[in-house]
Amino acid sequence: MALVVENDPSDGLARLGGWLTGGGLELTVVRPHAGEELPADLEGYAALVVLGGEQDAFPGPDGERGAPWFAQLEGLLRKAVRHKVPTLAICLGAQLLAQAHGGTVERSAAGPEIGVRLVARRDVADNDPVFAAVPFAPDVLHWHHDEIVELPVTATLLAASTHYPVQAFRIGPSAWGLQFHIECDLEMFAAWAMDGVGTLGELGIDPIELLESVEEALPDVAEVWQPFAERFAAVALGRTPDGFQGGDGGPRSLPLLGPA
C-alpha cells in the first residue's frame, strides 16, 4: 500500500495513478486540502507519493506556511527518509522534500517554467535503480514559478537544466524528487492553462499552441515515465527493477528498504 498526498485539487494522480497500480502498488489517497488528516507516521505503508500544488513550499513574509499541513507533511517526508520508505515527490512535493532536509526553495529569478522541456540526466544516475534507464534528455512537462536553489547536503542531483539546475534528485537511498510533472494528462494541463491564462499572456505564450505541444508530447512522456513509475513501484515492493545494473555493469542488490 502506498500513501498518496494530494496537496491541491488541481493536481491529482491522473496518469501516474494507473502507472503505479500497473506496477503492483495499491494506493491510498489523502486530501488534506479537503480536510482529510495526514497519518502520524508511515507504519503499514510501502511507499509515499507527494503530489504538486499551487502553494509555495516556503513560508511567506508573515511566516505563514503555504498550507497548514505542510509542517506535518515535511515531518512525514523526514520519517520516510529515516526509515527508508521509498518516496516519490513531484514539483511542490519535491520542493517540500528538499526543504524538509535542509534545502532552500525560493521564487525563481528565472521566472515561471511552463510547457514541454528537456532535462538532462546526469552520469551519476547510472547507479540509481529508478533513474538508470531514463534516457539522456527526456521530455517533461513543467508548470512552476518556484525552484530549489540549494539541495540538501545529503542529496544526489540526478537531472538538471540550464535555467533551473535542480530538476531531479534523490535523498538517501530511496526518496526521489522531480521538479517537473509526469502525472499530467491533457485535461489537467488545460485546466492549469485556463487558470493561468494571465501568466501565459505576460510570458507571451499562446495557450492553444501550448496545449498542442503538450498533447504532442504526452506519448513521449509516457514512454519514459511510465516505466520510471513502474520501477519506483518495484523498489517499493522490495524488488530490483527489471534490467537494473550498477555502474560497473554487474548486477546490483538494493540496499534500500528498512521496515515501513
Side-chain angles (χ1 to χ4, degrees), residues 7 32-38 55-56 63-74:
N7 286 300
H33 63 80
E36 297 177 2
E37 291 289 330
L38 292 171
Q55 306 98 324
D56 292 330
E64 289 292 317
R65 299 301 306 267
W69 61 88
F70 278 2
Q72 185 180 357
L73 180 52
E74 287 185 352

Side-chain angles (χ1 to χ4, degrees), residues 19-94:
W19 297 346
L20 292 173
T21 56
L25 284 176
E26 297 181 25
L27 307 177
T28 296
V29 181
V30 176
R31 298 176 175 87
H33 63 80
E36 297 177 2
E37 291 289 330
L38 292 171
D41 56 45
L42 295 168
E43 184 175 355
Y45 290 106
L48 172 64
V49 178
V50 182
L51 299 172
E54 65 178 2
Q55 306 98 324
D56 292 330
F58 51 88
D62 58 359
E64 289 292 317
R65 299 301 306 267
W69 61 88
F70 278 2
Q72 185 180 357
L73 180 52
E74 287 185 352
L76 278 181
L77 287 163
R78 285 189 288 269
K79 289 176 182 177
V81 170
R82 186 181 312 124
H83 297 294
K84 300 182 176 65
V85 178
T87 298
L88 179 60
I90 294 174
C91 200
L92 169 65

Side-chain angles (χ1 to χ4, degrees), residues 88-176:
L88 179 60
I90 294 174
C91 200
L92 169 65
Q95 294 168 1
L96 290 169
L97 174 63
Q99 191 168 260
H101 292 87
T104 303
V105 181
E106 296 178 353
R107 183 78 78 227
S108 175
E113 186 175 33
I114 295 173
V116 182
R117 299 286 189 274
L118 297 176
V119 297
R121 184 179 64 86
R122 294 170 64 87
D123 289 345
V124 70
D126 290 342
N127 294 316
D128 186 281
V130 176
F131 250 90
V134 171
F136 172 71
D139 283 325
V140 300
L141 302 178
H142 280 293
W143 195 301
H144 66 101
H145 51 254
D146 297 337
E147 68 170 323
I148 300 163
V149 296
E150 184 178 0
L151 276 174
V153 295
T154 55
T156 299
L157 182 64
L158 297 172
S161 68
T162 302
H163 296 295
Y164 298 83
V166 177
Q167 291 288 349
F169 61 95
R170 190 188 69 244
I171 298 178
S174 54
W176 289 271

Side-chain angles (χ1 to χ4, degrees), residues 153-231:
V153 295
T154 55
T156 299
L157 182 64
L158 297 172
S161 68
T162 302
H163 296 295
Y164 298 83
V166 177
Q167 291 288 349
F169 61 95
R170 190 188 69 244
I171 298 178
S174 54
W176 289 271
L178 309 179
Q179 178 58 78
F180 45 86
H181 294 276
I182 63 173
E183 76 283 16
C184 294
D185 54 23
L186 187 61
E187 182 180 4
M188 179 185 291
F189 208 94
W192 294 352
M194 182 176 296
D195 289 342
V197 66
T199 298
L200 296 179
E202 292 172 1
L203 297 172
I205 298 174
D206 181 274
I208 301 301
E209 292 180 359
L210 172 64
L211 292 178
E212 288 175 346
S213 68
V214 169
E215 184 175 23
E216 183 178 356
L218 283 174
D220 292 334
V221 171
E223 184 178 359
V224 172
W225 299 105
Q226 179 174 354
F228 172 92
E230 291 170 351
R231 291 192 296 275

